[in-house]
Amino acid sequence: MQPGFGSSLPAKHADSAGGDIRAHLGTYVYGAVFPTTSQDLIKAATDHQADDDVVSILRQLDPVTGFCTPAEVWRALELGTDNRF
């Protein structure tokens, strides 16, 4: 997990494998069409009234990198990629 993620979201969303954080992010970026970009994910999150913590995490993604799957997003955020998504 990248430094700061545990403190970026409330403790109830953090776990050692990143699954709870992935789930929290997923509640705001659902509906994003893959392949996608970080800007599209940020727009989806803000359209779903994401809190500042979620938007802040998504802003840590490289703005020029494309993502073909949610797993690629989780990997880029170092949140693990177990089979939950």
Side-chain angles (χ1 to χ4, degrees):
M1 193 177 301
Q2 275 187 337
F5 280 151
S7 62
S8 294
L9 289 174
K12 67 180 180 179
H13 298 296
D15 73 4
S16 61
D20 290 340
I21 296 171
R22 289 192 310 267
H24 186 70
L25 290 172
T27 62
Y28 297 105
V29 298
Y30 68 88
V33 177
F34 285 83
T36 193
T37 65
S38 63
Q39 295 306 310
D40 290 337
L41 293 171
I42 291 167
K43 181 175 179 350
T46 57
D47 287 351
H48 291 105
Q49 289 78 44
D51 54 48
D52 291 339
D53 292 332
V54 168
V55 174
S56 176
I57 288 172
L58 293 172
R59 284 191 176 133
Q60 294 179 40
L61 292 168
D62 183 351
V64 297
T65 299
F67 304 97
C68 292
T69 66
E72 289 181 3
V73 175
W74 309 148
R75 232 183 332 270
L77 292 171
E78 296 184 15
L79 295 175
T81 57
D82 65 15
N83 292 329
R84 290 177 65 177
F85 297 99

